[in-house]
Amino acid sequence: MTLNSNILRLGFALLVLVGCGEDAERKGSEPGADLHLETEDGPKTTDAGDVVNATRSLLDTPSSLSNLNEARDQVLNEYAQLAGSVSAPLSPQGWRTLWHRYWTSTLDLSVKGKDERLGTVLTLLTVPEGQTPLVAQLATGDFTDDTDSEEQRFLIAAHMLAMTVASNGGASLPAAVSVRSEDTGIRRSDLFLFQVFDDAFVDVPQGSGMSPDEVGQWEALARSPNPLYRLLALRTFRRVAPEPEQWLRFYGSYVHEKDLAIAEEAIDLAFQTARPEATRLLEDIREGLGESAPPELLDKIDRSIAWLRNRLPGAR
């Protein structure tokens, strides 16, 4: 485990540096869809602004986590025990078992944004000005916002596991988040998982492609009832799949996307492929949005389609 640990630690440090730059650029029960912290009045809620970043000092964590590198090594060892090696994929059931070791009841708290008029994703992911990004806090173990030691333990494990998935080529991301991706409610854990995987996938080693079964798992993630996982799939697929043609087929999963922030990101990514086929996809997304969508968004699609048709032979 020593060599693999050193490799992943080096990747962790490099990805944190890259990830922080990209952040500026782009704006105990077992986890699962059936396991939440419920009360007689329904799920407890917390404000997204209170949990977008993690937390206090590691001085309050259990003694086994007093050293950040020891904590990461522990996570890698547990992963390897379940998967067979640190470079092997882990089944959804294996992920459920692994997450269970780090889960805490506060992760099941419901989360809502401050201003739902802005759209679900925007309100949940907008980080207050002046706060240190979560991934920067994880790099040093110097947590600056309010949470408890058990959540810190989960965050350290989650980021190390996200880096492990990324270092293995990234194709197994849907399995890694399957424990939460089928739940319609947005929980505290979803915000944390989105951030650590989004950061870890900034730089994924280019693989030779994915099997049809793996692509199907990604397409299922793109249809998640939880908007955070739909956005995670949208952002990360192109870092795992090698060909723009694959990207466009995948972006077709978003033609009926109703979260405007996700729809706009799908529009941008489709346009950036600079492929003639992107014009048809953009037309389909426009039709899915309908004329009630914000005029500036519809205009953006129209201008993107016009640009592609004027510049690319064969654009329909």
Side-chain angles (χ1 to χ4, degrees):
M1 289 302 299
T2 302
L3 177 59
N4 284 326
S5 298
N6 289 337
I7 291 172
L8 280 167
R9 282 185 197 162
L10 176 60
F12 180 91
L14 291 173
L15 284 172
V16 164
L17 291 175
V18 175
C20 289
E22 185 153 311
D23 280 345
E25 183 182 308
R26 65 179 181 230
K27 303 181 221 167
S29 60
E30 183 175 359
D34 55 340
L35 294 168
H36 305 301
L37 185 63
E38 301 283 349
T39 68
E40 292 182 358
D41 298 322
K44 292 183 179 180
T45 61
T46 186
D47 206 3
D50 297 333
V51 297
V52 168
N53 299 296
T55 56
R56 281 200 312 259
S57 169
L58 282 174
L59 294 176
D60 293 332
T61 58
S63 58
S64 62
L65 296 180
S66 60
N67 181 287
L68 202 55
N69 285 334
E70 285 183 15
R72 292 169 184 157
D73 285 345
Q74 175 185 325
V75 175
L76 289 177
N77 279 319
E78 291 180 340
Y79 179 96
Q81 288 170 10
L82 288 168
S85 76
V86 76
S87 59
L90 194 58
S91 69
Q93 183 54 47
W95 276 107
R96 177 177 285 270
T97 299
L98 189 53
W99 287 129
H100 177 58
R101 298 179 183 179
Y102 292 93
W103 212 260
T104 178
S105 59
T106 59
L107 296 171
D108 289 326
L109 290 170
S110 295
V111 176
K112 63 179 181 179
K114 291 180 181 295
D115 186 354
E116 295 297 342
R117 292 172 300 174
L118 297 176
T120 302
V121 169
L122 281 182
T123 59
L124 292 176
L125 297 178
T126 299
V127 180
E129 203 172 321
Q131 287 195 6
T132 304
L134 171 60
V135 293
Q137 297 178 45
L138 282 164
T140 62
D142 183 18
F143 293 102
T144 57
D145 302 314
D146 186 29
T147 197
D148 60 34
S149 60
E150 290 301 305
E151 280 194 341
Q152 294 169 19
R153 180 174 179 268
F154 168 81
L155 285 162
I156 293 168
H159 203 199
M160 195 70 249
L161 291 169
M163 303 295 265
T164 302
V165 172
S167 70
N168 289 339
S172 61
L173 183 151
V177 299
S178 62
V179 70
R180 285 290 313 141
S181 59
E182 292 304 310
D183 195 340
T184 56
I186 299 175
R187 310 286 172 168
R188 192 173 174 92
S189 57
D190 301 327
L191 281 173
F192 290 148
L193 288 174
F194 177 90
Q195 290 178 92
V196 297
F197 277 96
D198 189 37
D199 174 71
F201 274 65
V202 167
D203 187 16
V204 178
Q206 187 65 66
S208 57
M210 291 189 286
S211 68
D213 182 59
E214 288 171 330
V215 172
Q217 292 172 21
W218 278 82
E219 290 173 343
L221 187 61
R223 297 189 297 271
S224 169
N226 189 312
L228 287 176
Y229 295 105
R230 296 201 304 274
L231 179 59
L232 181 63
L234 177 64
R235 282 188 178 177
T236 52
F237 183 80
R238 65 193 174 107
R239 304 187 187 282
V240 180
E243 301 296 337
E245 292 87 349
Q246 279 186 297
W247 304 348
L248 283 172
R249 286 195 296 272
F250 181 74
Y251 299 154
S253 301
Y254 294 87
V255 295
H256 299 297
E257 179 59 56
K258 296 305 180 185
D259 189 296
L260 295 180
I262 299 176
E264 184 166 12
E265 196 152 329
I267 292 163
D268 291 339
L269 289 171
F271 176 75
Q272 289 167 20
T273 65
R275 302 282 303 178
E277 308 94 295
T279 55
R280 179 59 183 270
L281 176 58
L282 290 172
E283 289 174 341
D284 290 343
I285 293 176
R286 192 190 195 289
E287 182 178 349
L289 287 170
E291 294 302 324
S292 62
E296 59 271 19
L297 184 57
L298 298 178
D299 181 63
K300 180 177 186 176
I301 301 175
D302 292 339
R303 286 185 287 107
S304 297
I305 293 171
W307 191 95
L308 291 170
R309 284 177 172 162
N310 289 333
R311 303 295 180 90
L312 300 180
R316 293 172 289 178

